[in-house]
Amino acid sequence: MATHEMMTGNLAAAWGARLADVDYVPVFPITPQTEIVEALAGWCDNGDLAARFVTLDSEHSMMTAAGAAAATGARVFTATSSQGLLYAFEVLYTIAGWRVPLVLVNVSRALASPITLEPDHNDVLAARDSGFLQIHAETCQEVLDSILMAYRIAEDPRVCLPAMVNLDGFYLSFTREPVMRPNPEEVRAFLPPYRPPHLGLKASAPQALGVAVLGGATYSYFRHQMHLASVNALTVHQEVAADFARLFGRRYDLVEGYRLEGAEDVLVMSNAFASKGKAAVDAARARGRRVGLLRLRVIRPWPADAIAAALQGRRAVAVLDQNLAPGLGGILFQEVAASLCHAPARPALCSYIGGLGGKNISEAEFETIFEQTAEAGVRGQGIGPVLLYTEEERREMEQLWTTANKN
Amino acid sequence: MAWQRETYKKIKQIPAEEYVLPGTALCAGCGGLEALRLAAKVLGEKVVYVNAAGCFTLLAVYPFTPFKGSWLYTTMGSAPAGAQGIRDALDVLIAKHRLSKEEDLKVVVLAGDGSSYDMALSATSAAIYRNLDFYYFCYDNEAYGNTGVQLSSATPYGAQTSTTPCSLHHPSGAVREKKDLFAIWRAHKPPYMATVSPRHPLDLVEKFARAARFAGPKLFLALSACPTGWGFDPAQTTEVARLAVETGFWPLKEAIHGEVTHTYVPKRRPVEEYLRLQARFRHLFEPTRQEEVIRHIQDRVTAYWEQASAALP
Ligand SMILES: Cc1ncc(C[n+]2csc(CCOP(=O)(O)OP(=O)(O)O)c2C)c(N)n1
Ligand code: SF4
């Protein structure tokens, strides 16, 4: 029987790996991810999980070991966050090119400098072009479920790419929520053992992996193969989601629509703060605003069609990015806007930047977004990028600033 | 007692079979490739080479590989971590009966000095610390060769590289001493380490045979005479390699559980004979002789052997 229990996002992630019956867990600690690998360390030690647990000297090494083990034929899980993800950056691209289907959990944390512990998505989105698939979770339940789904998708012969499952630091990593924990037999029915026919380093079948190529044509060929494989993951995701729903009763789509019926204006968000966004939609609906929310869940591959289908014909769309590309604005705004570029009825597009470094987004800020977005819709012209920052926060900042400048 | 070869006493005993086949993109006369070819004769074909970025990355260029065994190119800084992942996965898969013991592989890191002495040092230290069962083969051409022969921390004092030209301010070229990677490894107490030269094939293959008895990290540091980077005719590789050893510039030794034995004690010809063959040291002799620099290099070699002789048989 599946069991219902309270657990943090981090523990849910660890359970995802345990239920996936992984063989190998190379790690390196970083807040707020560490609790995941601590839980796995205990299970590997006491035999609850028949996997080898190894602490590497860095995330760069950790990801190399992870990719190499997957290339050898082991099912691999690992986790990191923020600076750790960036430290591994070179290897993300490298092992995606090896076409090894492992799962990496990233617990989002804003990037230095200035250094902080709290979340935003500049870390995970920096890796958006690495070749890793990316699933962004809103709840602890979704973290666990997405890890199981990620293995199925990544290991599918049509895909064969590593996958990243993202959860927000603190808001999800350390927040306890009720989670339905599937039993191992059910999971086995959903996720067959990892027996890749094409991968595996062994004496009887020597192979050369990660070899150099000469010339752009050969390089283009392999890179394009990765692109096609990633695009395949859209279809595979839907098949896997259907299976998952049949077995576990929980349905996940590429994107999640919330109160989109009859919504004139739509707010686009991702990850844990989408829960705040949904509450704000409820409040706005109660006040008579016809608004809805679109939560981006699968971010690589980019589900352009699903996004366009959900957003075209609306009066206005506001994309709330919890990231900032200095000199450009919000990263996801660019991608959403591009997806709507060919839409016959293109909404007015507004770009908001909020929740940087874990900054709260208050009800008032959401209300302002809805108000400005509605006006933009009426005008037929979008706005932004707009930084969400309250008067109160500004006063506090000024105080810090004054203190810093005292001699 | 002098060091004795046990497995390979005569050249004829070196296996005739080749495991690194010819026809690669590497330079003619590459001393490192010759050292690898010899090593592979002992390692055999149940091997996976875990490569770091460098000249040897161009050994396997799609759709070709010269190896009878397997190959995985990683990055410049993390080949030892790649070896860790493969070794661990093989162990796990064999323990879980998903792979038979016959399928097991020797895991061999294949890296240049730039990777070994510089970028991958953290990953290497960690692998030795974990007592990873692997071979580490460093072909030491004393520079970043692949990128056009720039200074690495393996470049010896007095050598010119493309980033340490002989200049008014630095008449010697490189001003720092070569990093002692052997000592760094030895401080980690691995079971087996050796320096080798392709010009001493019996010494080289014997060391690989001896290393096979030890589980854990096994280092092979091969001084790799490099015609392209050092500036000599490819036909001269064996002579350059020979003089590196005969002048005492490159001591052949091994260390078993830290205990060092010199496996060949040269008569020590003047180091100048070695330097003179190479364009990277030409500025020490032309247009004027840099006596002090040459003496410094000779003194370092002499001091090394004087210190070592206390431990010599
Ligand atoms: C992270 C990173 N930085 C720089 C490079 C560029 N690079 C490729 S090969 C190389 C030199 C490697 O030197 P070494 O290890 O001595 O091997 P060699 O080229 O001499 O064979 C460098 C710097 C790289 N591949 N990766
Ligand atoms: S540059 Fe030197 S080490 Fe590199 S392939 Fe050529 S000869 Fe060998």
Side-chain angles (χ1 to χ4, degrees):
Chain A
M1 268 299 290
T3 39
H4 226 143
E5 51 193 83
M6 295 295 289
M7 62 172 86
T8 62
N10 276 347
L11 192 58
W15 267 106
R18 174 167 163 179
L19 288 167
D21 195 23
V22 298
D23 300 308
Y24 190 45
V25 187
V27 307
F28 195 85
I30 182 167
T31 305
Q33 163 278 122
T34 314
E35 198 191 351
I36 300 175
V37 298
E38 285 172 353
L40 289 167
W43 294 334
C44 291
D45 188 60
N46 69 17
D48 283 341
L49 177 61
R52 183 176 285 196
F53 181 96
V54 181
T55 305
L56 277 294
D57 59 294
S58 72
E59 291 84 355
H60 189 279
S61 285
M62 174 188 94
M63 282 318 299
T64 306
T72 309
R75 184 176 277 163
V76 180
F77 175 86
T78 186
T80 191
S81 180
S82 189
Q83 310 303 126
L85 189 70
L86 262 60
Y87 203 83
F89 217 65
E90 176 189 25
V91 188
L92 301 179
Y93 281 69
T94 301
I95 69 173
W98 296 351
R99 306 292 302 271
V100 287
L102 52 83
V103 173
L104 164 67
V105 162
N106 183 65
V107 185
S108 262
R109 167 180 152 189
L111 294 169
S113 290
I115 189 150
T116 183
L117 292 174
E118 293 194 64
D120 65 37
H121 303 143
N122 265 105
D123 60 352
V124 64
L125 291 179
R128 69 191 182 276
D129 302 329
S130 62
F132 272 65
L133 312 174
Q134 287 199 6
I135 302 178
H136 291 222
E138 181 187 350
T139 65
C140 296
Q141 180 74 61
E142 192 180 349
V143 170
L144 192 161
D145 294 348
S146 296
I147 290 170
L148 300 178
M149 289 178 67
Y151 278 107
R152 262 284 295 273
I153 301 165
E155 290 171 6
D156 190 286
R158 290 165 289 177
V159 179
C160 281
L161 284 169
M164 214 176 280
V165 174
N166 192 68
L167 61 133
D168 279 339
F170 291 81
Y171 289 94
L172 222 51
S173 69
F174 301 145
T175 302
R176 281 154 59 86
E177 291 179 350
V179 172
M180 191 70 109
R181 176 156 63 75
N183 74 41
E185 289 74 48
E186 287 172 330
V187 174
R188 259 193 294 279
F190 170 74
L191 179 66
Y194 180 50
R195 301 285 185 275
H198 64 295
L199 281 172
L201 296 165
K202 56 183 172 206
S204 65
Q207 59 169 300
L209 193 60
V211 296
V213 296
L214 296 178
T218 316
Y219 182 81
S220 302
Y221 173 84
F222 285 113
R223 295 301 292 182
H224 190 239
Q225 287 289 314
M226 281 173 71
H227 169 65
L228 296 177
S230 184
V231 170
N232 282 348
L234 292 171
T235 311
V236 176
H237 178 278
Q238 294 308 80
E239 295 169 12
V240 169
D243 259 11
F244 193 92
R246 187 169 47 75
L247 282 161
F248 302 108
R250 293 182 292 278
R251 167 85 208 187
Y252 298 97
D253 274 307
L254 297 163
V255 293
E256 181 201 352
Y258 183 77
R259 303 193 71 170
L260 289 182
E261 329 74 54
E264 288 176 305
D265 304 331
V266 176
L267 174 62
V268 178
M269 292 183 71
S270 70
N271 290 280
F273 271 26
S275 298
K276 289 180 190 280
K278 288 173 181 174
V281 164
D282 290 343
R285 283 264 182 180
R287 283 191 304 272
R289 267 192 206 288
R290 284 165 47 204
V291 292
L293 183 142
L294 185 73
R295 180 170 70 90
L296 303 176
R297 184 180 119 79
V298 175
I299 284 182
R300 282 295 180 274
W302 181 251
D305 291 346
I307 290 165
L311 298 180
Q312 66 189 345
R314 310 285 174 185
R315 183 176 65 181
V317 165
V319 181
L320 205 177
D321 269 291
Q322 268 174 277
N323 63 75
L324 178 59
L328 175 70
I331 295 168
L332 294 175
F333 172 78
Q334 310 299 325
E335 303 205 346
V336 170
S339 304
L340 288 167
C341 164
H342 299 297
R346 196 166 61 220
L349 296 172
C350 303
S351 170
Y352 290 89
I353 311 291
L356 297 185
K359 191 192 95 66
N360 185 40
I361 304 176
S362 61
E363 281 172 37
E365 284 162 275
F366 277 113
E367 184 46 31
T368 305
I369 294 175
F370 290 134
E371 209 175 287
Q372 293 181 351
T373 304
E375 286 165 14
V378 171
R379 262 199 326 273
Q381 200 192 347
I383 57 165
V386 177
L387 177 73
L388 299 178
Y389 213 79
T390 64
E391 274 299 326
E392 173 70 13
E393 285 161 345
R394 197 187 120 158
R395 270 195 301 278
E396 282 168 14
M397 187 62 229
E398 276 167 359
Q399 237 159 43
L400 294 177
W401 195 74
T402 310
T403 311
N405 282 288
K406 270 194 191 126
N407 38 19
Chain B
M1 220 186 54
W3 190 75
Q4 295 273 329
R5 292 194 304 271
E6 288 152 21
T7 313
Y8 296 104
K9 294 195 196 280
K10 298 196 199 102
I11 285 282
K12 272 198 295 194
Q13 290 173 310
I14 299 178
E17 179 131 21
E18 300 290 347
Y19 297 91
V20 185
L21 301 171
T24 69
L26 268 54
C27 310
C30 176
L33 184 58
E34 176 61 7
L36 176 65
R37 187 182 72 90
L38 290 165
K41 286 169 175 283
V42 184
L43 291 168
E45 62 185 5
K46 292 189 173 187
V47 172
V48 53
Y49 291 99
V50 189
N51 176 236
C55 289
F56 282 23
T57 300
L58 293 179
L59 283 172
V61 178
Y62 187 82
F64 302 110
T65 167
F67 295 104
K68 288 192 182 157
S70 286
W71 170 268
L72 179 66
Y73 166 69
T74 54
T75 67
M76 188 169 166
S78 63
Q84 180 82 41
I86 295 173
R87 183 66 268 154
D88 285 338
L90 287 169
D91 289 348
V92 169
L93 296 179
I94 290 168
K96 290 186 175 181
H97 305 293
R98 277 152 59 186
L99 210 58
S100 76
K101 274 212 174 70
E102 288 68 53
E103 294 284 22
D104 200 8
L105 299 170
K106 293 188 185 103
V107 184
V108 183
V109 166
L110 182 58
D113 51 281
S115 172
S116 305
Y117 286 67
D118 294 330
M119 202 184 274
L121 205 45
S122 165
T124 304
S125 172
I128 313 170
Y129 160 77
R130 288 185 303 264
N131 201 34
L132 178 66
D133 187 17
F134 77 128
Y135 292 79
Y136 193 116
F137 183 95
C138 168
Y139 60 99
D140 183 355
N141 62 5
E142 304 195 311
Y144 296 145
N146 186 246
T147 38
V149 198
Q150 297 84 18
L151 176 96
S152 84
S153 62
T155 303
Y157 168 80
Q160 283 209 71
T161 67
S162 18
T163 48
T164 54
C166 165
S167 69
L168 215 53
H169 292 299
H170 302 102
S172 67
V175 298
R176 311 220 172 273
E177 304 294 341
K178 182 180 175 82
K179 194 190 273 183
D180 190 350
L181 189 64
F182 196 84
I184 293 170
W185 263 74
R186 190 165 161 240
H188 290 72
K189 302 187 177 66
Y192 192 85
M193 316 161 45
T195 60
V196 293
S197 160
R199 186 58 185 79
H200 287 254
L202 280 172
D203 180 89
L204 187 153
V205 291
E206 176 71 18
K207 285 169 175 170
F208 272 88
R210 289 163 71 93
R213 286 182 235 142
F214 299 94
K218 297 170 272 285
L219 170 69
F220 289 85
L221 258 184
L223 184 71
S224 301
C226 166
T228 312
W230 299 2
F232 59 82
D233 189 280
Q236 295 263 60
T237 298
T238 49
E239 185 58 7
V240 172
R242 188 181 71 84
L243 281 171
V245 174
E246 292 302 336
T247 56
F249 188 90
W250 185 251
L252 294 177
K253 55 188 171 181
E254 74 173 9
I256 295 180
H257 295 300
E259 196 174 320
V260 179
T261 308
H262 284 82
T263 61
Y264 176 77
V265 181
K267 301 227 164 43
R268 273 196 278 139
R269 308 171 67 92
V271 78
E272 200 179 318
E273 290 182 22
Y274 170 63
L275 305 179
R276 273 188 174 282
L277 286 181
Q278 308 168 50
R280 63 174 174 158
F281 294 116
R282 188 158 300 146
H283 60 292
L284 305 185
F285 304 97
E286 295 168 18
T288 51
R289 194 177 158 89
Q290 299 198 42
E291 197 56 53
E292 265 186 39
V293 178
I294 299 168
R295 189 172 334 113
H296 178 88
I297 297 172
Q298 181 64 64
D299 286 351
R300 293 276 301 186
V301 172
T302 308
Y304 173 89
W305 283 101
E306 270 165 13
Q307 209 189 18
S309 66
L312 287 178

